[in-house]
Amino acid sequence: MDSAKASKPKPDPKQQAAQRKQRLKAIQAVLRFTVPVALGSALVGAIFWVTAGSTLALAGGGGLFAIALSYRYPRAALWFFLFYMPFAGTVTYWIAGGNALFQLAKDAFYVPALLALVLAPKDADSFKIQPRSIVPGLWMMAVLCGLSLLLVSLPNQFSGAARGQPLFQGLLGFKVFMGYVPLIFCTQSLLRRKGDFLFLMRSHTVLAIICCFLCLMQLLMLQTGRCAGTDHLSGDALFVTNLDAKCLVGGALLYSPSQGVIRLPSTFVAPWQWGWFIIGNAYITFATAFSDPVLWGRVLGFVGMGFVTMAAIISGQRVALALVPVSFGILLVLTGQVTNLKRFLPIGTASVVAGAIAWAIFPALIQERIDSFFGRWKASPADDMISAQVEFVWKAVKDLPLGKGLGSATNSCRIFGPVWLIETWFPKVLFEVGIVGLIVFLGFVTLLSVTTFKVYRSLQDPSLRSYAACLWVFVLFISYQTYYYPLDVDPVAVYYWLFIGAIFRLPTLEHQSLVEAVGTIAATPPRTAPPMRVRGDPVTPDPIPPDRVSAPPVAPAPASPGRVVRIREPDRREPDGSP
């Protein structure tokens, strides 16, 4: 240890002074930009406060401030966008009073950041369309959406027969359908090194734990009567989510235990969005639990898996209750972790113990959720619903190769006119963009699935390869599942494209990590080993450092006459102890 301390170079005072000066300049640059923007945003907010009220004042002033900062600092804006997204529903209904503008607030961080990255000078971490193998699929999707707008939405706008605003529906539908695809390429700026990727996975595991804990608190407040729920209502209101019943966080919920129905939204706008957040985080927490290179990260992932499982049970989301354990099982098999006994056995044993404890504490609740799932499946099987919607959609668009137009079956586009309610994904795509669009979309997601698989198999770093395997399974599952439409809304609409980009980025991060490791080894001074000695060689004493040279020994006094002095011969043993 002393030698390591001695070999560590002392910091150069001039270099330290230069670094302090650089940090000071960076802080001054931030202040020079932020202070005027803050003052201007406050002025705009004050004007809106006087003319339109507090909600629009917050939207106008805060929106302007967010847009300006996001364009100036796109990388920080993307991080904030990811962290804000799970709490957007809570902000919308608990701070903004349900104002529709706040449902688009997260895009005030994403869109300016995307624009800044696209317009930025090209360098190693700028916005680039890579890998090039997916470019044909991107072009085909872009051409498809353009044809839908020009040949379907635009004629309907001026035909006079359509209700609402079909062109504006199409534009918003295009944003919903393709708006987050550029996240694939934003990862080049977001993930600059391996530590950034690990932070992405760990931070989202922490977000999952926080949101699941808030869901638990939501349930406890409903059970204890601090929130009224919907059990005191009558008629159909007992079985419908109600925004007035919101509790602690999030938006509309349904809590009628007397009727055996519970639908909790946690921090999201609606319960079904929360259900897909749980499903998506089953993959994130599993990846962290089995792939993180450090122990505390794996423990964090395991805790996240426990919270995700708990939320799937107590929130009343049947799709989450079914798909979370199935997802864990698929991940164990497809990623090969079932054969990694060193990690599988401890986590599997702990999961069984945790499940047994949960069953002992909440037996009635768990049994009720299981019975509700099977009862709902028997009453309305998912395969029957999917086949019925496929039949209905095919009759409606069999003579329309480009469908009814983008946004015509997208829930968020109803602000521009009536939309059709189609609750399964591929029939919805078929309805909006026709059989041609469905074929193009399936080809695009197949191209992405194959390309990400090849990238994941090319990795050599065990941690990154395991992470990539988990994310690839998530991409594969979302690409071909058709139950509901998670790719239309957050969080899955964000996670899907983000994780595709993260997989594409991993080979670069692996190479950078290897280069840094080689550079660290090359910069470390070599340690000199003592020379090897062979039996029979004369023993040469090690040189004494100059700072440890002691005073010369004092010669012994001569022996007195008549006294015999015996001189002991030096020990001629070799270093290994042999004579």
Side-chain angles (χ1 to χ4, degrees):
M1 186 178 295
D2 294 339
S3 61
K5 291 182 179 179
S7 62
K8 185 177 181 180
K10 294 182 179 180
D12 186 7
K14 293 183 179 180
Q15 186 178 3
Q16 287 183 326
Q19 291 175 353
R20 285 195 298 268
K21 187 176 181 179
Q22 187 176 3
R23 285 196 296 267
L24 182 60
K25 286 183 178 180
I27 294 173
Q28 291 174 348
V30 172
L31 293 177
R32 279 196 301 267
F33 179 81
T34 306
V35 172
V37 170
L39 293 176
S41 301
L43 179 60
V44 172
I47 295 173
F48 275 107
W49 185 286
V50 174
T51 59
S54 59
T55 302
L56 286 180
L58 180 61
L64 178 61
F65 186 72
I67 290 171
L69 285 183
S70 299
Y71 185 82
R72 177 69 174 178
Y73 305 103
R75 187 168 182 266
L78 288 175
W79 283 115
F80 192 85
F81 163 72
L82 295 175
F83 297 154
Y84 171 79
M85 182 182 59
F87 305 100
T90 300
V91 173
T92 299
Y93 287 113
W94 288 89
I95 297 178
N99 192 297
L101 289 175
F102 281 81
Q103 296 183 9
L104 303 175
K106 63 181 184 301
D107 292 328
F109 305 104
Y110 166 66
V111 175
L114 174 62
L115 185 62
L117 291 176
V118 171
L119 299 179
K122 301 305 178 184
D123 55 21
D125 295 326
S126 64
F127 187 94
K128 296 178 182 178
I129 299 180
Q130 292 178 346
R132 305 298 296 178
S133 58
I134 68 172
V135 172
L138 283 173
W139 274 112
M140 293 181 68
M141 289 293 293
V143 170
L144 166 70
C145 294
L147 290 176
S148 177
L149 290 173
L150 291 175
L151 301 181
V152 180
S153 300
L154 186 61
N156 289 340
Q157 177 72 25
F158 298 102
S159 65
R163 295 176 298 171
Q165 303 291 330
L167 180 59
F168 293 99
Q169 275 188 343
L171 293 173
L172 184 55
F174 171 74
K175 182 266 175 187
V176 172
F177 192 43
M178 297 286 291
Y180 294 117
V181 174
L183 281 172
I184 297 176
F185 316 110
C186 290
T187 54
Q188 298 165 14
S189 174
L190 192 69
L191 308 177
R192 295 180 176 176
R193 53 187 59 87
K194 181 179 177 180
D196 295 335
F197 174 76
L198 296 178
F199 174 74
L200 173 70
M201 303 305 295
R202 293 166 182 169
S203 61
H204 277 74
T205 301
V206 173
L207 286 175
I209 294 173
I210 294 173
C211 293
C212 291
F213 177 76
L214 290 174
C215 181
L216 176 62
M217 296 302 298
Q218 199 172 55
L219 176 64
L220 294 177
M221 292 181 69
L222 288 165
Q223 288 180 337
T224 56
R226 294 187 179 183
C227 296
T230 57
D231 209 21
H232 63 285
L233 303 177
S234 59
D236 293 339
L238 284 168
F239 304 94
V240 180
T241 57
N242 193 326
L243 185 59
D244 295 330
K246 66 180 188 292
C247 177
L248 183 62
V249 290
L253 60 80
L254 170 63
Y255 183 75
S256 301
S258 63
Q259 307 299 320
V261 287
I262 299 174
R263 302 290 182 272
L264 302 183
S266 186
T267 59
F268 283 81
V269 172
W272 77 271
Q273 285 181 273
W274 167 241
W276 281 98
F277 177 83
I278 296 172
I279 296 168
N281 277 277
Y283 293 85
I284 296 174
T285 55
F286 181 95
T288 306
F290 280 90
S291 309
D292 200 282
V294 296
L295 177 61
W296 68 265
R298 295 193 293 271
V299 172
L300 178 69
F302 171 70
V303 173
M305 289 176 63
F307 271 90
V308 164
T309 305
M310 174 204 68
I313 295 173
I314 68 173
S315 62
Q317 292 301 307
R318 289 183 290 264
V319 62
L321 181 62
L323 291 182
V324 165
V326 171
S327 298
F328 287 154
I330 293 174
L331 283 166
L332 283 172
V333 175
L334 293 186
T335 62
Q337 295 293 348
V338 70
T339 60
N340 187 1
L341 301 181
K342 184 179 179 181
R343 293 186 181 178
F344 171 68
L345 288 180
I347 293 179
T349 304
S351 300
V352 171
V353 172
I357 294 174
W359 186 278
I361 298 176
F362 305 107
L365 178 64
I366 297 175
Q367 188 62 48
E368 179 187 359
R369 295 295 92 217
I370 296 175
D371 294 342
S372 174
F373 171 77
F374 285 105
R376 175 67 176 177
W377 184 273
K378 292 179 181 178
S380 179
D383 53 342
D384 290 347
M385 182 186 73
I386 295 172
S387 60
Q389 293 210 345
V390 169
E391 182 180 359
F392 164 76
V393 169
W394 180 245
K395 289 180 179 179
V397 300
K398 62 181 179 180
D399 297 326
L400 302 172
L402 291 177
K404 295 280 189 176
L406 285 169
S408 57
T410 301
N411 192 36
S412 59
C413 295
R414 66 184 184 274
I415 60 175
F416 295 115
V419 297
W420 294 84
L421 178 61
I422 300 176
E423 296 181 297
T424 49
W425 175 243
F426 289 127
K428 176 186 175 299
V429 175
L430 177 63
F431 187 87
E432 290 194 354
V433 291
I435 187 64
V436 175
L438 179 61
I439 294 173
V440 170
F441 179 79
L442 282 173
F444 183 51
V445 296
T446 301
L447 176 64
L448 291 175
S449 301
V450 172
T451 308
T452 50
F453 176 78
K454 292 179 179 178
V455 172
Y456 133 62
R457 295 295 295 177
S458 69
L459 296 171
Q460 302 298 322
D461 184 291
S463 176
L464 295 181
R465 184 183 175 93
S466 180
Y467 265 122
C470 299
L471 298 183
W472 174 76
V473 174
F474 172 76
V475 170
L476 184 69
F477 167 67
I478 297 299
S479 295
Y480 296 105
Q481 77 82 31
T482 188
Y483 192 68
Y484 281 104
Y485 38 92
L487 277 178
D488 258 7
V489 292
D490 51 279
V492 175
V494 173
Y495 289 162
Y496 179 77
W497 306 110
L498 176 70
F499 291 154
I500 289 174
I503 295 174
F504 289 155
R505 185 66 174 165
L506 286 181
T508 302
L509 301 182
E510 182 184 51
H511 177 71
Q512 290 178 353
S513 177
L514 180 61
V515 170
E516 291 174 1
V518 172
T520 302
I521 295 174
T524 304
R527 298 180 60 184
T528 57
M532 297 183 61
R533 294 169 180 167
V534 184
R535 183 176 299 180
D537 288 350
V539 178
T540 304
D542 294 333
I544 302 175
D547 57 346
R548 298 188 181 181
V549 175
S550 57
V554 180
S560 58
R563 184 178 177 183
V564 178
V565 179
R566 295 184 178 178
I567 301 175
R568 184 179 179 182
E569 299 222 359
D571 191 2
R572 297 292 184 181
R573 294 178 178 271
E574 294 294 332
D576 59 356
S578 58

